[in-house]
Amino acid sequence: MTQSFDVDSFIRSRKQTRAVSDLLKAQAADYLATLSPLVRPQPLFGEYLQGAPRGSGRETQHHFKEFRTLFDKHAGARPFNLMNELEVPLNIINSTPELYPLEYEHTLDNGTRVRVTSPTRWVVGYSSFELSRFRQVVGDPNRSGSELHRFVVHYLMLFHCFSRAGGLGRLFKGLRFPVGFQCLDDFGDLPFCVISSPVSSTLPSDPVIRHSTEISGSRSFEELISDAEIEAMRDGLREQLSEALAAASAG
């Protein structure tokens, strides 16, 4: 998107973006809540998880071994630099998944750094482990090592459960809210689970962002959803059926 800064059209676009984003997030949250039993850690880890019933010995041992390898790979690396090891049984305080805003840094053409929020993508985390608080703890030189440890364990646990849930990715894709994994600013190579919506959002040109942040006095900005993006939405099932009809007719 490259356009000059027009206050009225910008305000209208912001309102439209917020309305569409709220609807999309509510839908994504509803799907996540419905499918959350598929990513509960208790059945996977059994007695390796505090308060969980005993599971299949070989299977739970396999999951714990994989998780310990995952923890060792990321916890001791930057920016966490954790030295403490995993304690068994694992203490997962809350395993209810929740959606948090996906944010990233954008550098304008004049060198100004802006914190950008996506209205169409969300990071999956556990309730009571807000992503914004995690970012604060990581950036605090006087941070609590135990609190940081809990955050790293919980986000790695969620990643493990999502990545091992066979068929879950296809389910979300079929619902038009695909699930993926990516690294985020401020968290090194730690993998996060991200849910995207069927509509994409984009940044306008740097001058538009600069004018907006100068007027608001804030170094934060939200991507915008255009009418064209909604009009260009594609229905994967409809396209597959159309291809099947065309192939059958040709045969």
Side-chain angles (χ1 to χ4, degrees):
M1 297 175 66
T2 57
Q3 71 266 39
S4 59
F5 189 73
D6 178 87
V7 175
D8 291 336
S9 63
F10 179 75
I11 291 175
R12 182 171 59 254
S13 182
R14 284 287 301 273
K15 287 182 178 179
Q16 292 175 341
T17 293
R18 180 49 36 210
V20 173
S21 177
D22 289 346
L23 190 154
L24 291 171
K25 183 180 180 181
Q27 188 71 78
D30 184 47
Y31 290 150
L32 181 63
T34 302
L35 297 173
S36 62
L38 299 178
V39 290
R40 294 177 67 246
Q42 288 81 0
L44 300 182
F45 288 86
E47 64 273 20
Y48 288 96
L49 207 64
Q50 187 171 313
R54 186 176 182 84
S56 171
R58 181 173 296 180
E59 184 177 352
T60 56
Q61 185 179 28
H62 172 72
H63 280 288
F64 177 73
K65 184 178 180 181
E66 280 194 337
F67 184 75
R68 183 170 57 189
T69 300
L70 186 68
F71 178 84
D72 290 343
K73 175 183 178 181
H74 294 284
R78 293 182 178 179
F80 312 116
N81 302 314
L82 289 170
M83 303 299 293
N84 45 335
E85 299 180 353
L86 286 176
E87 295 183 0
V88 180
L90 300 170
N91 183 17
I92 300 300
I93 299 173
N94 194 322
S95 59
T96 301
E98 192 167 321
L99 296 179
Y100 297 111
L102 185 149
E103 299 180 357
Y104 61 92
E105 292 284 342
H106 174 70
T107 303
L108 300 177
D109 49 15
N110 64 355
T112 301
R113 299 182 68 186
V114 176
R115 171 67 62 175
V116 178
T117 302
S118 171
T120 56
R121 293 175 294 163
W122 306 275
V123 178
V124 185
Y126 286 135
S127 180
S128 303
F129 286 86
E130 293 84 358
L131 186 62
S132 58
R133 176 56 188 164
F134 190 9
R135 182 174 282 108
Q136 291 175 359
V137 173
V138 170
D140 186 356
N142 300 314
R143 64 198 182 197
S144 164
S146 60
E147 184 180 14
L148 180 61
H149 183 273
R150 287 193 296 271
F151 269 101
V152 172
V153 167
H154 279 74
Y155 274 92
L156 285 177
M157 177 63 70
L158 191 141
F159 166 76
H160 177 86
C161 292
F162 263 82
S163 61
R164 298 301 182 273
L168 186 64
R170 293 192 299 274
L171 273 174
F172 271 102
K173 185 177 180 180
L175 294 169
R176 306 177 74 173
F177 284 81
V179 174
F181 304 104
Q182 68 180 76
C183 299
L184 303 177
D185 292 342
D186 305 324
F187 299 102
D189 294 328
L190 190 76
F192 288 87
C193 177
V194 176
I195 292 181
S196 302
S197 80
V199 180
S200 61
S201 53
T202 55
L203 283 176
S205 62
D206 281 2
V208 171
I209 301 174
R210 187 171 63 252
H211 284 305
S212 172
T213 54
E214 287 175 350
I215 291 173
S216 65
S218 171
R219 291 292 178 89
S220 61
F221 191 86
E222 185 176 42
E223 294 176 345
L224 301 176
I225 302 172
S226 68
D227 298 346
E229 288 290 341
I230 297 176
E231 294 172 358
M233 285 180 61
R234 303 171 64 185
D235 190 317
L237 179 59
R238 179 181 178 182
E239 292 172 2
Q240 290 178 10
L241 294 175
S242 297
E243 291 175 0
L245 285 175
S249 299

